[in-house]
Amino acid sequence: MLLAKKCYASDPLEDFYKYGELSDAEIHQKHQGDLLYGDVEFGLTASNGNKESTAFKLKSNVYQDFAKWRNHFKLDALYREESDNDTGQNEVSASRYFVSGQGNYKVGQDNASLFLYGDYLNDKFSGKDYTTTAALGYGNRLYEGLKNTIDFDIGPGLYLSKTDKETELAQGKPRLKQGQLMRIALQWERNISKRTRFNQDVSMEVSLSGLNDRLISETALVSQVLGGVSLKMSYVYRYNSQPEEDKLKVDTELGATLVYSF
């Protein structure tokens, strides 16, 4: 109890921040049977001057945890619009929407599971109308310590993408591409302190049909600010081995956003 402690502490906020007291597994256990739980991340920036711009980012991780199934749904949206005061014209400079869902069927008493995964990406500036993948396979925990947990998923899947109409293609080259892939995903979580958590998520899809390989990596530090609200600093690295003509292979994003957990 607080009354049994000294009236001072080396860290006056030690008992206020509770972020790192529960591991990822304990959080899932706490919410087992709940219809929905997770977090919502949002960021908004606006600037005025010679050129006005507005950028909006929304991201969420929503879970369902039942006796045999754990479901995970993701949403990641980024929109940016710029306006030139001289011309008065508005121009969209970023528009990306990504959704995914994964269901894990628990096998055994530990962290082993069989998963079914699917995602859909619409990126206006990638040269594609859409990209979608589906995979199934096996997942488990590689390591679990006092402060660290590392989980992985691996399994085969299918890839489907369609090049947009604005992109010129060589004669006879199809706009619709489909093939087989191998999906590998790693999630590393480290509790640095009662305030701060480090997350490293990497997903890689290796084409088995000579098509596009895709890698997405997010490195993040999350620290609680007040109650269920946290501040997140993140770096996202995206790689495509076969981008459309005049597009880059690498796309990076550095951000600071607020995260609300529920």
Side-chain angles (χ1 to χ4, degrees):
M1 299 291 293
L2 289 176
L3 293 178
K5 294 184 178 181
K6 295 181 180 180
C7 61
Y8 62 90
S10 59
D11 183 356
L13 300 178
E14 181 178 3
D15 297 308
F16 179 74
Y17 291 97
K18 304 294 183 182
Y19 191 90
E21 291 191 353
L22 294 179
S23 67
D24 184 64
E26 289 171 333
I27 291 174
H28 290 307
Q29 184 177 5
K30 177 182 177 181
H31 291 280
Q32 189 168 17
D34 290 358
L35 180 61
L36 293 173
Y37 67 96
D39 57 67
V40 178
E41 173 185 338
F42 50 92
L44 176 66
T45 60
S47 62
N48 293 303
N50 293 326
K51 179 175 288 188
E52 298 180 355
S53 67
T54 303
F56 176 76
K57 180 175 179 63
L58 175 65
K59 189 174 182 179
S60 68
N61 290 277
V62 178
Y63 298 90
Q64 295 175 314
D65 205 326
F66 304 114
K68 284 295 184 180
W69 283 93
R70 178 180 297 162
N71 303 318
H72 183 192
F73 307 98
K74 287 185 178 182
L75 167 66
D76 190 351
L78 173 66
Y79 180 83
R80 182 168 61 245
E81 187 176 278
E82 298 179 351
S83 176
D84 194 320
N85 287 341
D86 294 333
T87 62
Q89 294 182 341
N90 293 332
E91 181 179 347
V92 177
S93 56
S95 177
R96 184 181 68 251
Y97 305 94
F98 174 85
V99 293
S100 71
Q102 178 167 322
N104 286 69
Y105 180 76
K106 304 172 187 177
V107 294
Q109 297 182 352
D110 294 326
N111 297 285
S113 64
L114 302 176
F115 75 86
L116 179 64
Y117 171 87
D119 66 37
Y120 176 87
L121 171 65
N122 185 321
D123 188 344
K124 182 177 180 181
F125 296 92
S126 68
K128 298 180 183 294
D129 276 340
Y130 63 84
T131 299
T132 182
T133 64
L136 53 86
Y138 173 77
N140 208 331
R141 179 154 290 175
L142 284 176
Y143 176 79
E144 182 172 7
L146 184 62
K147 293 186 176 183
N148 296 275
T149 58
I150 303 176
D151 297 313
F152 80 96
D153 295 324
I154 184 169
L158 300 174
Y159 169 90
L160 181 67
S161 71
K162 184 179 180 181
T163 305
D164 61 29
K165 296 180 180 179
E166 287 75 22
T167 302
E168 295 185 3
L169 296 177
Q171 187 174 5
K173 189 176 181 180
R175 292 191 179 274
L176 189 66
K177 299 177 182 178
Q178 54 187 337
Q180 293 78 43
L181 59 84
M182 179 62 67
R183 174 177 171 81
I184 303 171
L186 287 172
Q187 304 89 36
W188 173 27
E189 178 182 292
R190 175 176 174 83
N191 287 330
I192 298 176
S193 69
K194 290 185 177 182
R195 316 176 186 201
T196 307
R197 180 174 65 180
F198 171 82
N199 289 334
Q200 177 64 63
D201 294 337
V202 180
S203 64
M204 180 170 57
E205 295 165 356
V206 180
S207 176
L208 304 178
S209 306
L211 299 177
N212 183 54
D213 298 332
R214 183 170 65 167
L215 183 145
I216 303 175
S217 171
E218 182 183 56
T219 306
L221 278 174
V222 186
S223 184
Q224 188 180 22
V225 177
L226 179 63
V229 179
S230 303
L231 175 65
K232 178 179 179 181
M233 304 292 293
S234 62
Y235 175 76
V236 180
Y237 176 91
R238 298 180 179 89
Y239 172 80
N240 291 283
S241 64
Q242 296 183 19
E244 297 297 332
E245 188 175 356
D246 298 329
K247 305 298 180 181
L248 299 176
K249 290 185 176 182
V250 175
D251 183 18
T252 62
E253 180 182 322
L254 182 65
T257 52
L258 291 176
V259 181
Y260 173 71
S261 301
F262 59 92

